PDB file of all heavy atoms in Angstrom:
ATOM      1  N   SER C 194     -21.702  15.413  15.681  1.00  0.00           N
ATOM      2  CA  SER C 194     -22.809  15.697  16.591  1.00  0.00           C
ATOM      3  C   SER C 194     -23.849  16.508  15.836  1.00  0.00           C
ATOM      4  O   SER C 194     -23.703  16.773  14.635  1.00  0.00           O
ATOM      5  CB  SER C 194     -22.331  16.496  17.813  1.00  0.00           C
ATOM      6  OG  SER C 194     -22.015  17.832  17.439  1.00  0.00           O
ATOM      7  N   ASP C 195     -24.889  16.922  16.566  1.00  0.00           N
ATOM      8  CA  ASP C 195     -25.889  17.805  15.986  1.00  0.00           C
ATOM      9  C   ASP C 195     -25.361  19.216  15.775  1.00  0.00           C
ATOM     10  O   ASP C 195     -25.994  20.017  15.083  1.00  0.00           O
ATOM     11  CB  ASP C 195     -27.115  17.890  16.908  1.00  0.00           C
ATOM     12  CG  ASP C 195     -27.914  16.602  16.901  1.00  0.00           C
ATOM     13  OD1 ASP C 195     -27.730  15.787  15.971  1.00  0.00           O
ATOM     14  OD2 ASP C 195     -28.706  16.406  17.839  1.00  0.00           O
ATOM     15  N   GLY C 196     -24.212  19.528  16.372  1.00  0.00           N
ATOM     16  CA  GLY C 196     -23.779  20.907  16.333  1.00  0.00           C
ATOM     17  C   GLY C 196     -22.417  21.161  15.741  1.00  0.00           C
ATOM     18  O   GLY C 196     -22.000  22.316  15.648  1.00  0.00           O
ATOM     19  N   GLY C 197     -21.695  20.128  15.317  1.00  0.00           N
ATOM     20  CA  GLY C 197     -20.359  20.397  14.827  1.00  0.00           C
ATOM     21  C   GLY C 197     -19.765  19.300  13.974  1.00  0.00           C
ATOM     22  O   GLY C 197     -20.268  18.173  13.928  1.00  0.00           O
ATOM     23  N   SER C 198     -18.658  19.650  13.306  1.00  0.00           N
ATOM     24  CA  SER C 198     -17.936  18.719  12.441  1.00  0.00           C
ATOM     25  C   SER C 198     -16.443  18.915  12.641  1.00  0.00           C
ATOM     26  O   SER C 198     -15.973  20.003  12.994  1.00  0.00           O
ATOM     27  CB  SER C 198     -18.266  18.969  10.968  1.00  0.00           C
ATOM     28  OG  SER C 198     -19.634  18.812  10.702  1.00  0.00           O
ATOM     29  N   THR C 199     -15.710  17.852  12.424  1.00  0.00           N
ATOM     30  CA  THR C 199     -14.253  17.928  12.384  1.00  0.00           C
ATOM     31  C   THR C 199     -13.828  18.456  11.025  1.00  0.00           C
ATOM     32  O   THR C 199     -14.415  18.115   9.997  1.00  0.00           O
ATOM     33  CB  THR C 199     -13.638  16.542  12.621  1.00  0.00           C
ATOM     34  OG1 THR C 199     -13.993  16.102  13.937  1.00  0.00           O
ATOM     35  CG2 THR C 199     -12.124  16.567  12.503  1.00  0.00           C
ATOM     36  N   PHE C 200     -12.765  19.284  11.024  1.00  0.00           N
ATOM     37  CA  PHE C 200     -12.296  19.933   9.798  1.00  0.00           C
ATOM     38  C   PHE C 200     -10.771  19.872   9.823  1.00  0.00           C
ATOM     39  O   PHE C 200     -10.118  20.691  10.457  1.00  0.00           O
ATOM     40  CB  PHE C 200     -12.785  21.385   9.787  1.00  0.00           C
ATOM     41  CG  PHE C 200     -12.723  22.092   8.465  1.00  0.00           C
ATOM     42  CD1 PHE C 200     -13.807  22.068   7.596  1.00  0.00           C
ATOM     43  CD2 PHE C 200     -11.599  22.820   8.104  1.00  0.00           C
ATOM     44  CE1 PHE C 200     -13.766  22.764   6.383  1.00  0.00           C
ATOM     45  CE2 PHE C 200     -11.545  23.506   6.897  1.00  0.00           C
ATOM     46  CZ  PHE C 200     -12.642  23.485   6.038  1.00  0.00           C
ATOM     47  N   ILE C 201     -10.193  18.834   9.195  1.00  0.00           N
ATOM     48  CA  ILE C 201      -8.746  18.643   9.193  1.00  0.00           C
ATOM     49  C   ILE C 201      -8.186  19.168   7.881  1.00  0.00           C
ATOM     50  O   ILE C 201      -8.567  18.699   6.804  1.00  0.00           O
ATOM     51  CB  ILE C 201      -8.364  17.160   9.349  1.00  0.00           C
ATOM     52  CG1 ILE C 201      -9.059  16.536  10.561  1.00  0.00           C
ATOM     53  CG2 ILE C 201      -6.845  17.013   9.468  1.00  0.00           C
ATOM     54  CD1 ILE C 201      -8.893  15.041  10.651  1.00  0.00           C
ATOM     55  N   VAL C 202      -7.286  20.137   7.964  1.00  0.00           N
ATOM     56  CA  VAL C 202      -6.647  20.709   6.772  1.00  0.00           C
ATOM     57  C   VAL C 202      -5.275  20.065   6.619  1.00  0.00           C
ATOM     58  O   VAL C 202      -4.525  19.943   7.593  1.00  0.00           O
ATOM     59  CB  VAL C 202      -6.498  22.234   6.914  1.00  0.00           C
ATOM     60  CG1 VAL C 202      -5.860  22.822   5.663  1.00  0.00           C
ATOM     61  CG2 VAL C 202      -7.843  22.874   7.170  1.00  0.00           C
ATOM     62  N   GLU C 203      -4.950  19.657   5.385  1.00  0.00           N
ATOM     63  CA  GLU C 203      -3.695  18.943   5.141  1.00  0.00           C
ATOM     64  C   GLU C 203      -3.093  19.400   3.825  1.00  0.00           C
ATOM     65  O   GLU C 203      -3.811  19.680   2.860  1.00  0.00           O
ATOM     66  CB  GLU C 203      -3.943  17.435   5.113  1.00  0.00           C
ATOM     67  CG  GLU C 203      -2.673  16.602   4.972  1.00  0.00           C
ATOM     68  CD  GLU C 203      -2.946  15.117   4.804  1.00  0.00           C
ATOM     69  OE1 GLU C 203      -4.063  14.748   4.389  1.00  0.00           O
ATOM     70  OE2 GLU C 203      -2.031  14.330   5.084  1.00  0.00           O
ATOM     71  N   MET C 204      -1.779  19.473   3.778  1.00  0.00           N
ATOM     72  CA  MET C 204      -1.077  19.814   2.529  1.00  0.00           C
ATOM     73  C   MET C 204       0.378  19.390   2.654  1.00  0.00           C
ATOM     74  O   MET C 204       0.899  19.214   3.761  1.00  0.00           O
ATOM     75  CB  MET C 204      -1.166  21.319   2.242  1.00  0.00           C
ATOM     76  CG  MET C 204      -0.436  22.194   3.253  1.00  0.00           C
ATOM     77  SD  MET C 204      -0.922  23.934   3.177  1.00  0.00           S
ATOM     78  CE  MET C 204      -2.552  23.869   3.931  1.00  0.00           C
ATOM     79  N   HIS C 205       1.040  19.237   1.502  1.00  0.00           N
ATOM     80  CA  HIS C 205       2.458  18.881   1.517  1.00  0.00           C
ATOM     81  C   HIS C 205       3.254  20.041   2.102  1.00  0.00           C
ATOM     82  O   HIS C 205       2.882  21.213   1.970  1.00  0.00           O
ATOM     83  CB  HIS C 205       2.945  18.568   0.103  1.00  0.00           C
ATOM     84  CG  HIS C 205       4.269  17.861   0.068  1.00  0.00           C
ATOM     85  ND1 HIS C 205       5.468  18.527   0.202  1.00  0.00           N
ATOM     86  CD2 HIS C 205       4.577  16.545  -0.071  1.00  0.00           C
ATOM     87  CE1 HIS C 205       6.465  17.653   0.141  1.00  0.00           C
ATOM     88  NE2 HIS C 205       5.949  16.438  -0.016  1.00  0.00           N
ATOM     89  N   GLU C 206       4.364  19.711   2.742  1.00  0.00           N
ATOM     90  CA  GLU C 206       5.186  20.751   3.356  1.00  0.00           C
ATOM     91  C   GLU C 206       5.617  21.807   2.343  1.00  0.00           C
ATOM     92  O   GLU C 206       5.693  23.004   2.668  1.00  0.00           O
ATOM     93  CB  GLU C 206       6.420  20.130   4.018  1.00  0.00           C
ATOM     94  CG  GLU C 206       7.286  21.143   4.745  1.00  0.00           C
ATOM     95  CD  GLU C 206       8.463  20.519   5.480  1.00  0.00           C
ATOM     96  OE1 GLU C 206       8.535  19.269   5.532  1.00  0.00           O
ATOM     97  OE2 GLU C 206       9.298  21.273   5.997  1.00  0.00           O
ATOM     98  N   ASP C 207       5.882  21.394   1.088  1.00  0.00           N
ATOM     99  CA  ASP C 207       6.276  22.373   0.061  1.00  0.00           C
ATOM    100  C   ASP C 207       5.151  23.368  -0.197  1.00  0.00           C
ATOM    101  O   ASP C 207       5.394  24.571  -0.353  1.00  0.00           O
ATOM    102  CB  ASP C 207       6.648  21.662  -1.240  1.00  0.00           C
ATOM    103  CG  ASP C 207       7.887  20.788  -1.094  1.00  0.00           C
ATOM    104  OD1 ASP C 207       8.642  20.999  -0.126  1.00  0.00           O
ATOM    105  OD2 ASP C 207       8.086  19.906  -1.941  1.00  0.00           O
ATOM    106  N   VAL C 208       3.919  22.878  -0.274  1.00  0.00           N
ATOM    107  CA  VAL C 208       2.760  23.758  -0.476  1.00  0.00           C
ATOM    108  C   VAL C 208       2.600  24.671   0.733  1.00  0.00           C
ATOM    109  O   VAL C 208       2.333  25.881   0.601  1.00  0.00           O
ATOM    110  CB  VAL C 208       1.483  22.920  -0.709  1.00  0.00           C
ATOM    111  CG1 VAL C 208       0.257  23.810  -0.863  1.00  0.00           C
ATOM    112  CG2 VAL C 208       1.659  22.014  -1.925  1.00  0.00           C
ATOM    113  N   TRP C 209       2.753  24.105   1.902  1.00  0.00           N
ATOM    114  CA  TRP C 209       2.638  24.839   3.167  1.00  0.00           C
ATOM    115  C   TRP C 209       3.610  26.016   3.206  1.00  0.00           C
ATOM    116  O   TRP C 209       3.242  27.121   3.592  1.00  0.00           O
ATOM    117  CB  TRP C 209       2.898  23.840   4.289  1.00  0.00           C
ATOM    118  CG  TRP C 209       2.861  24.316   5.687  1.00  0.00           C
ATOM    119  CD1 TRP C 209       1.760  24.559   6.464  1.00  0.00           C
ATOM    120  CD2 TRP C 209       3.997  24.575   6.522  1.00  0.00           C
ATOM    121  NE1 TRP C 209       2.133  24.945   7.723  1.00  0.00           N
ATOM    122  CE2 TRP C 209       3.505  24.960   7.786  1.00  0.00           C
ATOM    123  CE3 TRP C 209       5.382  24.503   6.323  1.00  0.00           C
ATOM    124  CZ2 TRP C 209       4.342  25.287   8.847  1.00  0.00           C
ATOM    125  CZ3 TRP C 209       6.228  24.824   7.370  1.00  0.00           C
ATOM    126  CH2 TRP C 209       5.704  25.207   8.615  1.00  0.00           C
ATOM    127  N   ARG C 210       4.833  25.783   2.762  1.00  0.00           N
ATOM    128  CA  ARG C 210       5.826  26.859   2.765  1.00  0.00           C
ATOM    129  C   ARG C 210       5.515  27.902   1.695  1.00  0.00           C
ATOM    130  O   ARG C 210       5.619  29.112   1.948  1.00  0.00           O
ATOM    131  CB  ARG C 210       7.233  26.285   2.565  1.00  0.00           C
ATOM    132  CG  ARG C 210       7.706  25.445   3.736  1.00  0.00           C
ATOM    133  CD  ARG C 210       9.182  25.115   3.664  1.00  0.00           C
ATOM    134  NE  ARG C 210       9.560  24.252   4.783  1.00  0.00           N
ATOM    135  CZ  ARG C 210       9.778  24.680   6.021  1.00  0.00           C
ATOM    136  NH1 ARG C 210       9.670  25.973   6.287  1.00  0.00           N
ATOM    137  NH2 ARG C 210      10.110  23.834   6.977  1.00  0.00           N
ATOM    138  N   ARG C 211       5.143  27.434   0.499  1.00  0.00           N
ATOM    139  CA  ARG C 211       4.837  28.403  -0.558  1.00  0.00           C
ATOM    140  C   ARG C 211       3.665  29.291  -0.168  1.00  0.00           C
ATOM    141  O   ARG C 211       3.598  30.458  -0.560  1.00  0.00           O
ATOM    142  CB  ARG C 211       4.541  27.670  -1.870  1.00  0.00           C
ATOM    143  CG  ARG C 211       5.761  27.067  -2.545  1.00  0.00           C
ATOM    144  CD  ARG C 211       5.478  26.682  -3.982  1.00  0.00           C
ATOM    145  NE  ARG C 211       4.502  25.621  -4.095  1.00  0.00           N
ATOM    146  CZ  ARG C 211       4.802  24.320  -4.162  1.00  0.00           C
ATOM    147  NH1 ARG C 211       6.075  23.939  -4.101  1.00  0.00           N
ATOM    148  NH2 ARG C 211       3.860  23.409  -4.278  1.00  0.00           N
TER     149      ARG C 211
END
Side-chain angles (χ1 to χ4, degrees):
S194 72
D195 289 343
S198 300
T199 297
F200 196 91
I201 308 171
V202 181
E203 185 186 22
M204 66 196 74
H205 195 279
E206 183 176 353
D207 295 341
V208 178
W209 179 79
R210 293 192 183 281
R211 287 195 295 267

